[in-house]
Structure formats: structure tokens, C-alpha cells
Amino acid sequence: MAATKQNQHKRTRSDHATELTEDYVEAISEIIADAGVCRAVDLAQKFQVSHVTVNRTVGRLQRDGYVTTEPYAPIELTSVGTRLAKASQERHQLVLEFLLALGVSNATAITDSEGIEHHVSPETLRAMQKFIDSQK
């Protein structure tokens, strides 16, 4: 039992570590889709954080191979960043649809899906999809 509890906490810590990366690449992808380009100011507005916070985060994303950018230039996703953004968007959409299928209000489902998407296992995602499909 103790080993299982340790593994649960380890996975939660790992999920938390990737949350910010997933949120940023997902946002960059959405901003590019909507506006054609993504700049640091767009991310600062979206996340309601300072330009400094965005620059630090984008620097880490660039270091880790998710984005490319130059000073005063738009932020672009690499192929790795694009794949992560797509996977995050799909996971987010599935969690949102599941919550709505349960009867959760739209506003609450939107808010809750933003947090749940980072902590849901592939097994749970499959079960959510199965439930959604059974409701059609």
C-alpha cells in the first residue's frame, strides 16, 4: 500500500511538472491559429502574467525544444511542441466533453477540464471516451 501511495504522489509531481509546458504550447498553438502569430505579449495577456514571466517560461520551452524564437520575433512551435499541443488539446476536449455529458454546467466544465486534463491517465481517458460514445 505504501509503495502505491508513493507512486501516486510521484505521478502527481510529474504531472505538475509538465502542466505549465502543456498550457503554454496549447496556448501558443491556439493564438497562432487565431491570429497567425504568437508574441510574448499575447501569452502575458492570456495567462495574466508579466512579460518577464512569459520570457522566462518561453526560454525554458526553447531550451527544452518546444518552441523557437528570437528577441522581438514571434514564438513558433517546433514539431515536438506541435505534437504536445495537439495531444493537450485533444485531452482537454475529451475531458470537457465528458464533464458536459455528466451534466456539469458549461462554465464549470471549462474551468475544471483545464486542471483535470493534466492529471488524467490514458486508462481514464479511454473510459471517458467510452462513456461519451455510449451516450450518442
Side-chain angles (χ1 to χ4, degrees), residues 14-29 43 47 57-58 60-67 77 80-82 84-85 88 91 114 117-118:
S14 174
D15 291 346
H16 282 302
T18 61
E19 252 180 270
L20 188 64
T21 298
E22 290 174 350
D23 282 344
Y24 266 75
V25 296
E26 191 174 359
I28 292 165
S29 176
L43 293 169
F47 292 117
T57 303
V58 169
R60 283 191 300 273
L61 294 175
Q62 190 168 18
R63 178 199 68 206
D64 295 342
Y66 295 105
V67 302
L77 292 171
V80 172
T82 299
L84 181 60
S88 296
R91 199 171 53 246
E114 186 57 46
E117 72 173 286
H118 300 291

Side-chain angles (χ1 to χ4, degrees), residues 1 8 15 30-31 41 47 51 56 60 63 68-69 75-76 89 94 103 126-127 130:
M1 184 81 160
Q8 290 170 340
D15 291 346
E30 290 169 359
I31 292 167
V41 66
F47 292 117
H51 210 307
R56 286 182 184 149
R60 283 191 300 273
R63 178 199 68 206
T68 59
T69 190
I75 302 161
E76 297 177 357
Q89 289 163 338
L94 179 57
R126 287 189 298 275
K130 187 175 177 181

